[in-house]
Amino acid sequence: FSLLPVVRQVPLKLQPPSLDDSTADAQRLTHALAQKDMNGVTVELPLLQRLSQELRSSEWQVTPVLDVSGGTRMIDLYPGRHRSALLGIAVDIGTTNVMAELVDLRSGRSIEQISARNRQILRGEDVISRIIFSEKGGLEELHRLVVETVNELVAQLGHRHRFQPREVQDMVVAGNTTMSHLLLGIPPKSIRQEPYVPTATSFPRVKAGELGIDINPLAGVYCLPAVAAYVGGDITAGILSSCLYSSEKLTLFLDVGTNGEIVLGNQEWMTTCACSA
């Protein structure tokens, strides 16, 4: 497959302003990006607040970091011709354990995988007990506990590979439907009540800072879409990575965790079911 990360660095050398050219700093920057086929770039407010000083202290030579998913946003700005590692983290939020994988977005190379116990287990060992806890005013705490778990893994990866957490510019998350709801602070109550309908199966791409995740606060966090109340984005991820969806052969996919799911099918059809494991 083609390697097309949604985050990229674009080194620029800008013409300084003068009495004959008093274009505003942000427009000067976006015009330069448009000349490199990066059109319609949005500069986020935290970057606008430091843009003037950054441009002048770097003598108008900077490297914006752009997120090009669904429109183009500038999510970071480095002085000079910055060509450091472009890092992303993939996270699997399991009911019992959380795994994080550090990825070089330029090469697609996996750098390291580590895991930790999901701190939500303090409030229930399975999704049903956690949903019940959330109904009793515990939603904010469950959200905080899973974010703390993710941040712990990011900090460990940063220590081992000598980067600051804010240097991570993208995150993708897979988890069962309840875990995705709790990460995003969405009440999961209806998942356990007949007819078992979640609030959402597709989720908006949000900024890390909105969730309290300790990477670049403007970095995007993408939760893979779920299928139904008990078939989540972890199964979507498994179908995609195993290429079951393109197989001509009848294929069985198994995910045995705290919750168990199976998918049977091929490129023409798929059927799935789930139960407590």
Side-chain angles (χ1 to χ4, degrees):
F1 56 89
S2 300
L3 188 64
L4 296 171
V6 298
V7 179
R8 53 203 65 171
Q9 296 173 351
V10 184
L12 295 174
K13 175 66 175 175
L14 306 180
Q15 286 297 322
S18 65
L19 291 176
D20 296 323
D21 179 8
S22 58
T23 303
D25 292 342
Q27 281 65 45
R28 188 177 302 276
L29 181 67
T30 56
H31 290 168
L33 287 168
Q35 293 175 4
K36 292 181 175 288
D37 296 323
M38 297 288 181
N39 298 300
V41 176
T42 300
V43 182
E44 299 281 359
L45 179 59
L47 295 175
L48 279 176
Q49 292 170 341
R50 46 182 266 232
L51 180 62
S52 179
Q53 181 179 350
E54 291 280 3
L55 290 176
R56 287 161 178 79
S57 63
S58 63
E59 298 182 349
W60 303 93
Q61 188 164 295
V62 291
T63 301
V65 181
L66 304 178
D67 182 321
V68 298
S69 60
T72 305
R73 296 187 302 123
M74 193 171 83
I75 61 173
D76 213 339
L77 183 69
Y78 293 109
R81 298 185 65 84
H82 190 85
R83 185 75 178 176
S84 67
L86 199 55
L87 300 174
I89 292 182
V91 179
D92 181 353
I93 298 179
T95 309
T96 303
N97 297 302
V98 178
M99 176 172 281
E101 180 174 13
L102 181 65
V103 178
D104 182 330
L105 296 178
R106 285 200 178 92
S107 66
R109 181 175 65 90
S110 172
I111 299 173
E112 186 179 8
Q113 297 178 0
I114 60 174
S115 65
R117 186 61 58 95
N118 187 336
R119 293 184 183 181
Q120 290 178 339
I121 207 164
L122 296 169
R123 299 306 182 191
E125 294 187 354
D126 54 64
V127 295
I128 299 300
S129 60
R130 291 183 204 174
I131 292 173
I132 293 172
F133 183 78
S134 75
E135 295 171 17
K136 297 177 179 179
L139 177 60
E140 184 176 341
E141 181 179 354
L142 289 169
H143 164 75
R144 175 179 56 79
L145 288 170
V146 70
V147 169
E148 286 177 356
T149 308
V150 172
N151 286 343
E152 174 191 341
L153 293 171
V154 172
Q156 287 183 31
L157 288 168
H159 178 72
R160 294 185 190 190
H161 297 279
R162 299 183 179 180
F163 66 84
Q164 295 298 317
R166 68 167 294 112
E167 294 180 66
V168 176
Q169 306 288 9
D170 195 32
M171 180 174 283
V172 177
V173 178
N176 66 49
T177 311
T178 300
M179 292 301 102
S180 296
H181 277 57
L182 294 177
L183 174 69
L184 297 173
I186 301 171
K189 180 178 180 179
S190 59
I191 291 175
R192 80 174 184 95
Q193 296 180 335
E194 191 175 349
Y196 315 112
V197 177
T199 298
T201 52
S202 293
F203 308 101
R205 184 173 170 87
V206 298
K207 298 172 187 173
E210 295 174 325
L211 297 177
I213 294 176
D214 190 19
I215 59 174
N216 178 346
L218 297 178
V221 177
Y222 174 67
C223 292
L224 271 85
V227 178
Y230 294 100
V231 181
D234 49 352
I235 304 308
T236 303
I239 296 301
L240 290 171
S241 61
S242 67
C243 295
L244 189 157
Y245 67 92
S246 62
S247 173
E248 295 182 358
K249 297 179 180 180
L250 184 61
T251 305
L252 182 67
F253 173 84
L254 299 171
D255 184 313
V256 183
T258 311
N259 305 294
E261 297 89 359
I262 70 171
V263 181
L264 180 69
N266 56 21
Q267 64 186 5
E268 297 182 4
W269 62 275
M270 283 181 275
T271 187
T272 182
C273 63
C275 69
S276 171

